[in-house]
Amino acid sequence: MAMRQFKAESKKLLDLMINSIYTNREIFLRELISNASDACDKRYFKSLTDTSVGITKDDLKIHIQPDKESRTLTISDNGIGMTKDELEKNLGTIAKSGSFDFKTENQSDNIDIIGQFGVGFYSAFMVAKKVTVISRAQGEDTAWKWESTGVEGYTLTETDKDDVGTEIILVMKDDTDTDHYSEYLEDYEITNLVKKYSDYIRFPITMYREKSRQKPKPEDAGDDYKPEYETYTELETLNSMVPIWKRPKSEVKDEDYNEFYKNKFMDYTDPLRVITSRTEGTATYTALLFIPGSTPYDYYTKEYEKGLALYASGVMIMEKCGDLLPDYFSFVKGVVDSLNISREMLQKDNQLKLMRSSLEKKIKNELHAMLVNDREKYETFWKNFGRQVKFGVYGDYGMHKDLLGDLLMFYSAKEQKLVTLDEYIEKMPEGQKCIYFAAGDDTDRLGKLPNAQLVLSKGYDLLLCTEDVDEFCLQVMHDYKEKEFQNINTGDLGLETEDEKKAAEAAETENKDLFEEIKKDLNGKIKEVKVNPTLQEHPVTLSSAEGGISMEMEKVLRRMPNAEGVESTKVLELNPNHTVFAALKAAHAAGDTDKVAKYAELLYDQALLIAGLPIEDPVAYAQLVCGLMQ
Ligand code: ADP
């Protein structure tokens, strides 16, 4: 009988399991039971369309049988079973379910992953020195036996089995001083583990339990009769079979929800919030939803697939139903169990739409409640998924801005922490008309921008937006509760005093020629030159012309493919009260066009630097500066 080799990654994982120092080995049972339950689901599902399957839901079960003498624990199911090919494919290769990112090379990390994610079938090797799988697939006459004692490989031979299904026989490892594998052969331990991890499994998990009872008192028993006892075995169902989402919330402990969440959705952190919802009427369903406590590693990639598990009266009909969730809530995990949904109805999807809009409202309200009642948690949520919510505002041409607006948070320059838009508006002093924001890479730098200081000097707060989506989001929103958003570097802020305004107008008329000359020198890089009397100690700044794309958006867009030609229209703003301005004027008056051109180039480059934009030719810039120093 030829020994077959495991695939390389499987071998690594297997090795890890066998030599695991992981203390939470007991999860192997949960993993094997989950597999058995999935197999039952699959067979039941098949029976709905294929009468030859010949079973009803009540026929399906999972049975556990310990045997202390042979040190075996057998877990059998009458689910769908596996063909020879499937045995080879499923048990010879690590599951491709995505639950386990095997790139983690660090051994100790891996050991953590075992308990947190669960790694399926191979976890059996944490407790067993030999694993035998006997399986007969639905529709097949022959059965196959897969057998392995570890990394050397496995054998696959033909065998007999009366019924469709799978039997997994574990030969427990020998006990050592520290590890008592015999534990897993004890009735009470098995019962506890099933209750702990697999209580909600919807198929009965049965086991023969040894029990004791009092023998009937004999008719002729005398006065000195002492009751006698006998042991007998009885088939017991260990799990309650009520799915956790069907149980009243008051009866379920937080840790049960957390445990369920972590198992079912392969997360290792507790959820931030558990949402339960029951509705009746047009869309009758029970939902159990979770806001994850951490960002899935693939969340912001194309690989991430949103969706809720969809059940119809307790039977799973779809593992990830994407239609139940809008993209902006794609982080939500959970289960929806609907009374009146059938597979056929999925196509019509009217029912789904109703559920989706009702779930959407529910999720929104729960998030808002979290914002109001549990700020710290909400900020964690925001850190993990805020970006997605902002994309939600931006997407679909702003259609969802009213739904999502009050969930948004941005960093406040004044308060140095995250604030909501409502909080911003609440603190607006009299006279402030718009919501000011600055967009760029880092909050510290943004706060130092000339216009930022101007806004702050008026006593107004400023939102410092450091994510690429921020400005797009705010632009699509246009306003919040009738307060318009104003980028501090776009257009005219209108914050100058009457006197400053008059002085600026005068300076602009007076220096018309000079400005024309600068514009020509800068050769298409700017749209116009203006005077900005509010600049205080800064000689120069750049702003974007009203209405176009801003400089920050230009930066973001340029990172995308096919972005050539994307350019903001820039306005060079000069401080009329700065000595540099006087120097410019003097050079112009003296007819020194060369000097004016050099100054113009320098000021433009400086303004780019302040705005956090790259200068086109740093070498030329450095030479210019040196030239002037000599
Ligand atoms: P996962 O369950 O995450 O896919 P496993 O390693 O636990 O990974 O199992 C691999 C595959 O083997 C399963 O996806 C399933 O197709 C198959 N399998 C495991 N146990 C059973 C079983 N009891 N009955 C039928 N198929 C099974």
Side-chain angles (χ1 to χ4, degrees), residues 35-36 39 42 77 80-82 90-91 95 97 99 119-121 166 168:
N35 283 348
K42 285 180 198 156
D77 65 70
I80 193 93
M82 283 178 275
N90 295 337
L91 309 186
S97 56
S99 55
V119 281
F121 173 74
T166 303
I168 300 187

Side-chain angles (χ1 to χ4, degrees), residues 29-30 33 64 187-201 204-207 237-240:
L29 189 60
R30 169 190 88 194
I33 289 174
I64 304 182
D187 279 14
Y188 70 85
E189 180 64 13
I190 296 168
T191 308
N192 285 345
L193 291 180
V194 170
K195 279 246 164 291
K196 181 168 173 190
Y197 293 113
S198 313
D199 194 52
Y200 63 90
I201 295 280
I205 303 170
T206 57
M207 183 170 70
T237 298
L238 307 181
N239 55 328
S240 70

